[in-house]
Amino acid sequence: MVVDPAALPEATVRPPYPFSAIVGQDAMRRALLVAAVDPAVGGVLVFGDRGTGKSTAVRALAALLPPMRAVAGCPYACDPVDAAALCPACAARRGQGLAVKTVPVPVVDLPLGATEDRVVGALDIGRALGAGEKAFEPGLLARANRGFLYIDEVNLLEDHLVDLLLDVAASGVNTVEREGLSLRHPARFVLVGSGNPEEGELRPQLLDRFGLAVTVTTPADLASRVTIVRRRDAYERDPAGFAAEWAGEEARLGGQILAARAHLAEVAVPDAVLEAAAGLCLALGTDGLRGELTLMRTARAVAGLDGAGTVTLDHLREVAPSALSHRLRRNPLDEAGSEARIARALADILG
């Protein structure tokens, strides 16, 4: 039997590990914060060793964000003020007024063994057999709407699910045509994937859909390892007490995200920065214009997090590795890794 955490007594719900208590892994933390500020960046891919806090960071990030307003009773948690993104049922009732409630930002796990029906939704067998009704049972994509869809070991995901995710990620809509059902519902989410590159490569089509890609490694210095173990042990022994200890820092970081969101549209991107971004992508030979767009959006989000009103070349220099490292084609005449090639291009373009 699956138990909904929301139905449990408050004392039995274990708080997530605080995002601000994560030691090191600065690139991963920064990329996740950027995705929280501007989902248009396109999600985050985290590759690295096992046990480096990848899934912990994703769940901790969602806990930072304040509850969101949603249409009461809607299985897709539709935004009541965004008429263009309402599901058909909410759109039909909009003229009569929509009841509103606050709900936590969802973080939905997509397990490797999930069936297509489990992901996209299917016919509600119970209602079909019991009442003879053709009713839709929403899947994981419905639950993830307006939140995060997390895929651990994303490089091992089955090809047919990869194709499905590509379609939904591009349109923001899940279309279901099966067993006499025909419907569409909103499915806009921040896609976060993690995996170990030693276990297999990610399909290029899906790789390109991630706005940012970072690599995490096991800390190599003694002090960091001791701090990680000490904090994790304190959390395991007293989750509520540990969360309370970090509540102030969590509130500060949450406020920083909200402030960056509120002022994101006001952050200026000078032509000199856009020209540098385009020159960087030209020098690296990236395909299409997704690289420039991601550079611009990520640099703007970072500037917002820093409280800056204008994107600078320093912001561009900071975000270039995570925005471009997974977009480079292999060059048989250049054995340097992607980060080394980006560093060279940055030196040539930005000085």
Side-chain angles (χ1 to χ4, degrees), residues 30-189:
R30 192 72 153 170
L32 290 173
L33 290 174
V34 164
V37 170
D38 187 5
V41 164
V44 181
L45 177 64
V46 184
F47 267 144
D49 304 332
R50 299 183 189 87
T52 48
K54 300 186 290 292
S55 59
T56 297
V58 176
R59 293 178 178 86
L61 174 68
L64 274 179
L65 305 178
M68 61 186 190
R69 289 166 54 83
V71 177
C74 176
Y76 316 113
C78 284
D79 185 348
V81 300
D82 188 356
L86 292 175
C87 69
C90 290
R93 302 197 315 267
R94 185 166 178 263
Q96 298 146 9
L98 297 171
V100 177
K101 66 176 182 178
T102 57
V103 297
V105 175
V107 178
V108 177
D109 285 307
L110 196 160
L112 289 179
T115 63
E116 187 171 333
D117 284 352
R118 181 77 181 96
V119 176
V120 303
L123 181 70
D124 188 330
I125 300 298
R127 291 178 63 180
L129 295 177
E133 299 177 355
K134 282 186 178 179
F136 178 62
E137 183 177 2
L140 298 177
L141 297 182
R143 289 175 48 202
N145 187 42
R146 302 178 64 202
F148 297 84
L149 183 65
Y150 176 61
I151 311 172
D152 196 11
E153 306 294 349
V154 64
N155 47 324
L156 303 181
L157 196 65
E158 295 183 17
D159 286 349
H160 73 282
L161 291 181
V162 170
D163 294 334
L164 187 155
L165 285 174
L166 287 174
D167 291 340
V168 177
S171 65
V173 175
N174 180 34
T175 302
V176 183
E177 300 277 356
R178 60 180 59 200
E179 298 158 342
L181 291 172
S182 178
L183 61 88
R184 292 158 55 90
H185 70 76
R188 300 179 183 275
F189 45 80

Side-chain angles (χ1 to χ4, degrees), residues 2-3 17 33 44 48 63 77 84 96 98 121 146 149 200 204 212 264 300 326 329:
V2 177
V3 178
Y17 191 88
L33 290 174
V44 181
Q96 298 146 9
L98 297 171
R146 302 178 64 202
L149 183 65
L212 305 175
L264 189 64
R300 185 165 53 200
H326 58 305
R329 288 176 288 180

Side-chain angles (χ1 to χ4, degrees), residues 8 38 97 126 142 180 210 226 229 236 259 273 283 310 317 330-331 339:
L8 295 173
D38 187 5
F210 287 97
V226 169
V229 172
E236 295 291 347
V273 172
T310 303
R317 186 179 286 107
R330 287 190 176 91
N331 185 349
E339 291 193 4

